[in-house]
Amino acid sequence: MRITRTIEETRAALHGEVGLVPTMGAYHAGHISLFAAARKENGLVVASLFVNPAQFGDAADLARYPRDEAADAAIAEEHGVDVLFAPPVEELYPPGFETWVEVERAMQGLEGSFRPGHFRGVATICLKLFNIVRPRRAYFGQKDAQQVEVLRRMVRDLNLELDLELRVLPTVRDADGLALSSRNARLSPDARAAALALPRALATKDLARARELLAGLDVDYVEIAPFDPPVLAAAVRVGDIRLIDNVPLDEGDRS
Ligand code: AMP
């Protein structure tokens, strides 16, 4: 596996059909499932490892985001990544940067209401990565359902679909049901026990039941979102840790 720092080096490493897995690091089995899918479906697998400052509203959240490039590189290599693009911030946001992607409606509501500017940062960095890496397929987790919705809309609206397919993989969970997230490492045992109400509530696939089961937590939202597929989605805060999760709904679950 090669680690690249610049757009130029990354471009020079590309050949054949490329699968891209955009990430911010702190790899767990959720990321690994994306690497595995990309490995199976493409000649060359590129993962980006970049903690994108533009998608963090809160400077403290950005500062405490876990970073361990050596550990991540070992995991990426083990799981078939060919090129790990890990640029410094200035490579992607040089002085004078001022162009942003807004996906007007899809950015609103749910995460968009609680993290202003987040999806503008996500859409912009993903478009930049798509332009740099020119992937045939790009891999995302269902865990971030609204992110998928925003990116699908962007891909259609900007006619990227002619060359690029978005692939969405199911949410990977721990044995107790908690969706894997880099933020879980910061949960104390008590906080983790409290956080389990989130997957349990969503597993009911019933909005009213989910609301009841989340009543003891600090809930940002619990809603049915008309995505493709529709999901029951929620965000809660356990101490200073914010967790999001969702479950896809089938036809019968929505009445
Ligand atoms: P991140 O590094 O957190 O930006 O995530 C990189 C990609 O991994 C995104 O497409 C996420 O949706 C995906 N991802 C994060 N957690 C999970 C999970 N538990 N299961 C599946 N995919 C995930």
Side-chain angles (χ1 to χ4, degrees):
M1 185 184 77
R2 265 190 73 188
I3 298 181
T4 57
R5 305 284 172 202
T6 66
I7 293 165
E8 201 183 338
E9 275 176 283
T10 307
R11 265 297 174 93
L14 302 179
H15 55 82
E17 276 201 345
V18 176
L20 170 67
V21 186
T23 78
M24 300 202 300
Y27 293 155
H28 51 61
H31 299 103
I32 291 170
S33 76
L34 305 184
F35 299 151
R39 182 68 284 165
K40 229 162 71 192
E41 298 173 353
N42 303 273
L44 189 83
V45 177
V46 178
S48 57
L49 169 49
F50 182 65
V51 182
N52 176 28
Q55 71 188 66
F56 287 81
D58 176 13
D61 194 24
L62 173 62
R64 71 179 170 226
Y65 202 85
R67 293 164 208 248
D68 185 345
E69 185 185 296
D72 285 339
I75 294 170
E77 180 159 35
E78 188 188 340
H79 293 278
V81 173
D82 298 304
V83 178
L84 187 66
F85 177 39
V89 171
E90 316 78 69
E91 183 71 4
L92 293 177
Y93 298 107
F97 186 93
E98 59 173 356
T99 304
W100 299 98
V101 179
E102 301 265 359
V103 184
E104 293 184 348
R105 189 201 48 80
M107 284 180 172
Q108 287 171 25
L110 303 169
E111 288 303 288
S113 302
F114 289 89
R115 303 186 68 189
H118 171 68
F119 287 120
R120 174 177 113 136
V122 168
T124 302
I125 197 69
C126 285
L127 182 59
K128 285 168 67 66
L129 291 169
F130 295 162
N131 284 333
I132 293 164
V133 175
R134 305 243 172 108
R136 175 69 193 82
R137 300 176 192 84
Y139 295 79
F140 296 91
Q142 174 66 25
K143 159 107 190 325
D144 297 280
Q146 192 176 8
Q147 166 170 284
V148 168
E149 201 66 12
V150 164
L151 295 175
R152 279 217 180 101
R153 192 69 252 170
M154 178 184 82
V155 163
R156 276 193 226 121
D157 289 352
L158 300 182
N159 305 105
L160 303 172
E161 81 279 8
L162 300 172
D163 305 300
L164 170 68
E165 186 187 344
L166 294 191
R167 305 276 290 124
V168 182
L169 278 285
T171 302
V172 178
R173 298 175 182 280
D174 265 330
D176 60 8
L178 196 65
L180 294 181
S181 162
S182 59
R183 295 192 160 90
N184 295 354
R186 295 179 49 237
L187 291 168
S188 68
D190 282 355
R192 187 176 173 107
L196 288 180
L198 177 59
R200 285 184 189 142
L202 296 177
T204 66
K205 298 193 174 184
D206 179 289
L207 180 59
R209 280 288 293 139
R211 283 220 168 96
E212 280 167 24
L213 290 170
L214 290 175
L217 289 185
D218 184 359
V219 178
D220 277 354
Y221 61 81
V222 47
E223 277 178 46
I224 292 176
F227 297 160
D228 175 21
V231 294
L232 177 59
V236 302
R237 292 167 200 264
V238 183
D240 68 341
I241 301 165
R242 189 167 180 281
L243 300 172
I244 64 168
D245 196 357
N246 71 88
V247 292
L249 299 178
D250 324 309
E251 276 300 318
D253 302 323
R254 266 170 288 154
S255 44

